[in-house]
Amino acid sequence: MSATAPATTTVPAPVLIVGSGPTGLTLACDLARRSVGVRIIERSPGFPRSSRAKGPNPRSLEVLEDLGVADRVLAAGSGPLPMRKYRDGLPVADADPSASSHPTPDTPYAQGRLIAQWQLEEILRDRLAEYGVHVELGSEAVGLSQGPESVTVALADGRSVRARYVVGCDGGHSPVRKMLGVPFEGRTTEEQAMVCGDVEVDGLDRGIWHQWFDEDGAVMLCPIPGTRTGWWFQAGPERDAAGALVPPSLESFRRLFAKHTRLPEARLSQATLLSTYRVNERMADRYRVGRVLLAGDAAHVHSVAGGLGMNTGIQDAYNLGWKLARVVEGRSDARLLDTYEEERLPVASWTLDITAERLRTTLEAIRQPGGGLDSALSRDTAGLGLGYPWSSLSAPGSTPRLRAGDRAPDAPCRDTTTGAPTRLFEAFAGPHFTLLGFGPDTSETLRATESAYGDTVRAYGVDAGTPRDLTDDAGHARTAYGVAPATALLVLVRPDNHVALITPATKSGTIGAYLDRLGGRA
């Protein structure tokens, strides 16, 4: 059940999130687990049932693990499927772009997960409800005014909501962005259009992502996990005699299906969630205006090639959550919020470039028999290589394998006290910074740091002889972090599991200096 939003109160909520898609829900879960008061509103009277996004990539699965829902996502979804490409109705090639991808000690999720967007949203809403927070339906934001201490959001039904900070996670047509007057520069390619929907199809192998590419159009059908006969349908649209796009409908989908598959059109039924997609490549020129921030599609839209849309939004939220929590709690100055734009806006720019390049590659590939959507995938689209080495939050320092700003790798270890197997990701899980100390010469710094910054940092020794010690029996942790044997090294990991700094044990003072600067202390 959704909660009904109360009328305006004199005490503002700490954070108001506008939009309850994957970006908004990820941010709400991240704030709620930090005990930050959060409200999340949705203009629709019921929960939107969208299936366009096909699931989290490996980096987003790491985010979802930290939020405590990865197991639910893995159970509800399926692994990537092999792709079968057809020409003139006949199969001409199979491809399995994930066949060579396997988990490694530092990368537990080598593949993404296929799951309908509405299923992922249900999982995140259930997680949010465990913190006592519910999406407030039928709450459309139509006005926005900022004061020195709060933001007031006017709703279409005459109510208003006050909050200390507002985050617009309300999609590519974002009313919040428009009310802020933030430009959304870029281009829309009208001729590159696609019709989409969820359909029921009988008689197709559900272990295959089927792709029919002909010279005069295409149809793609991917089975929706958790359904018996449900499929994601994508196709080049029909055009009328004047060359205009024919709106998506069951009848149009059936004609396209029969034309390209050479199968009876009656096999396709119950077309729902119909939409026409055009390639948009646009980006907001700033992510923060005073006490209002933008995330997800509200800040950037791009080609679907590579499947980075929803994933980039989830990772926006993961970057913003810990920073917003620290500011709301008074642990950091509001200037920390500027690092959200500093770090994520270049990632959005990169995403526009890589998805445009993947789209060009795919359009070129499908001109030839055997080409297909596997051309849209690359190592870049897994999201594991993205970091923030340019950021003001990335202190100087590196190893042969790692720089400050990089994603912090996982590694299997053993709890030295109990002997139980564990992982670095289990040490990172939660809202804290994590200080790793490699070698016994780091033990004193680990104890002193946790004593001084225990409300912010959790310290772990790796073969360091500390109370909270991890044994790196196979050397996977040292290998992942590029730490040579017998070398004493300190690595501070941010709450979003990116490396904040790397320093030799002999320069341990840099840890306290970094945390003091983060807290606004000299």
Side-chain angles (χ1 to χ4, degrees):
M1 297 291 290
S2 65
T4 301
T8 304
T9 59
T10 55
V11 179
V15 179
L16 173 68
I17 298 170
V18 181
S20 66
T23 301
L25 289 168
T26 297
L27 180 59
C29 287
D30 200 16
L31 292 170
R33 68 171 176 160
R34 301 171 192 277
S35 300
V36 173
V38 59
R39 292 175 63 180
I40 178 168
I41 62 174
E42 169 60 50
R43 68 177 180 177
S44 300
F47 293 119
R49 195 175 175 87
S50 173
S51 292
R52 183 178 294 174
K54 291 184 175 62
N57 65 11
R59 179 54 178 162
S60 290
L61 284 172
E62 294 180 353
V63 173
L64 296 170
E65 178 181 338
D66 192 24
L67 295 180
V69 297
D71 287 347
R72 304 181 205 182
V73 173
L74 294 175
S78 74
L81 297 175
M83 300 178 180
R84 178 162 297 159
K85 281 73 70 71
Y86 301 79
R87 197 76 161 192
D88 299 325
L90 298 175
V92 293
D94 285 357
D96 189 350
S98 64
S100 61
S101 300
H102 303 285
T104 62
D106 63 338
T107 306
Y109 305 105
Q111 306 171 354
R113 200 74 176 165
L114 286 174
I115 181 172
Q117 182 173 318
W118 61 266
Q119 291 174 305
L120 177 60
E121 290 173 358
E122 281 187 350
I123 290 170
L124 288 169
R125 283 198 302 269
D126 288 346
R127 181 59 167 162
L128 189 59
E130 293 171 13
Y131 298 108
V133 181
H134 303 269
V135 176
E136 300 170 17
L137 294 169
S139 301
E140 181 180 1
V142 295
L144 189 72
S145 60
Q146 296 200 52
E149 301 295 332
S150 66
V151 185
T152 300
V153 175
L155 305 181
D157 62 5
R159 293 176 295 133
S160 59
V161 181
R162 287 180 63 218
R164 290 178 59 191
Y165 289 93
V166 171
V167 186
C169 303
D170 48 346
H173 297 289
S174 174
V176 171
R177 186 190 66 240
K178 293 174 182 177
M179 286 185 276
L180 290 174
V182 173
F184 204 46
E185 301 295 341
R187 65 189 182 115
T188 298
T189 309
E190 294 290 341
E191 65 272 15
Q192 291 179 344
M194 181 169 60
V195 288
C196 310
D198 286 11
V199 299
E200 299 285 324
V201 177
D202 291 320
L204 284 180
D205 184 346
R206 291 185 60 81
I208 299 289
W209 187 339
H210 302 271
Q211 303 167 18
W212 291 267
F213 291 107
D214 297 319
E215 292 183 4
D216 58 349
V219 163
M220 293 150 277
L221 283 167
C222 181
I224 302 175
T227 67
R228 187 176 63 84
T229 56
W231 297 77
W232 285 296
F233 179 97
Q234 297 169 284
E238 293 184 305
R239 294 184 181 268
D240 62 21
L245 298 184
V246 174
S249 66
L250 173 59
E251 294 74 21
S252 176
F253 281 13
R254 279 178 161 174
R255 290 192 297 268
L256 288 165
F257 175 79
K259 174 183 177 181
H260 294 289
T261 69
R262 276 63 166 181
L263 297 172
E265 67 175 34
R267 285 198 183 182
L268 187 151
S269 61
Q270 299 185 34
T272 58
L273 303 177
L274 307 181
S275 64
T276 299
Y277 168 80
R278 291 175 176 84
V279 175
N280 280 292
E281 296 172 339
R282 297 181 182 275
M283 189 171 73
D285 70 350
R286 56 192 184 276
Y287 284 11
R288 179 189 176 201
V289 179
R291 291 180 172 269
V292 184
L293 302 104
L294 301 172
D297 286 356
H300 43 73
V301 294
H302 43 78
S303 162
V304 297
L308 291 176
M310 179 187 73
N311 288 290
T312 305
I314 287 173
Q315 292 156 38
D316 282 348
Y318 195 48
N319 181 285
L320 177 60
W322 70 274
K323 299 172 181 178
L324 192 54
R326 284 189 64 90
V327 172
V328 166
E329 294 168 345
R331 294 171 181 263
S332 291
D333 186 273
R335 288 173 294 181
L336 179 62
L337 297 177
D338 292 333
T339 67
Y340 166 61
E341 177 183 305
E342 177 191 0
E343 293 182 342
R344 294 303 296 174
L345 194 148
V347 171
S349 179
W350 172 88
T351 303
L352 263 68
D353 289 342
I354 191 67
T355 54
E357 186 273 330
R358 291 289 91 196
L359 178 62
R360 287 192 297 270
T361 299
T362 302
L363 292 175
E364 182 67 28
I366 63 177
R367 293 192 181 119
Q368 302 298 322
L373 298 185
D374 49 310
S375 300
L377 302 176
S378 70
R379 291 188 61 176
D380 290 329
T381 58
L384 297 170
L386 292 175
Y388 315 116
W390 61 82
S391 172
S392 59
L393 293 180
S394 300
S398 65
T399 72
R401 292 287 301 271
L402 208 61
R403 301 169 298 174
D406 287 348
R407 161 193 168 272
D410 194 12
C413 298
R414 178 169 52 83
D415 185 304
T416 305
T417 301
T418 66
T422 187
R423 297 159 53 213
L424 290 186
F425 275 9
E426 292 181 37
F428 299 162
H432 54 271
F433 278 77
T434 304
L435 181 60
L436 297 177
F438 290 86
D441 289 345
T442 64
S443 59
E444 184 178 341
T445 298
L446 295 176
R447 292 189 184 92
T449 302
E450 194 161 272
S451 175
Y453 303 95
D455 59 343
T456 297
V457 179
R458 189 173 296 171
Y460 289 84
V462 180
D463 300 329
T466 60
R468 192 186 286 128
D469 204 36
L470 304 172
T471 300
D472 187 22
D473 286 320
H476 290 308
R478 282 186 174 269
T479 297
Y481 284 75
V483 185
T487 298
L489 196 74
L490 295 160
V491 180
L492 184 65
V493 178
R494 298 170 9 168
D496 59 354
N497 296 2
H498 282 265
V499 175
L501 66 81
I502 301 169
T503 187
T506 54
K507 298 183 179 180
S508 59
T510 59
I511 303 292
Y514 182 98
L515 295 169
D516 285 344
R517 286 195 302 272
L518 192 71
R521 297 184 292 273

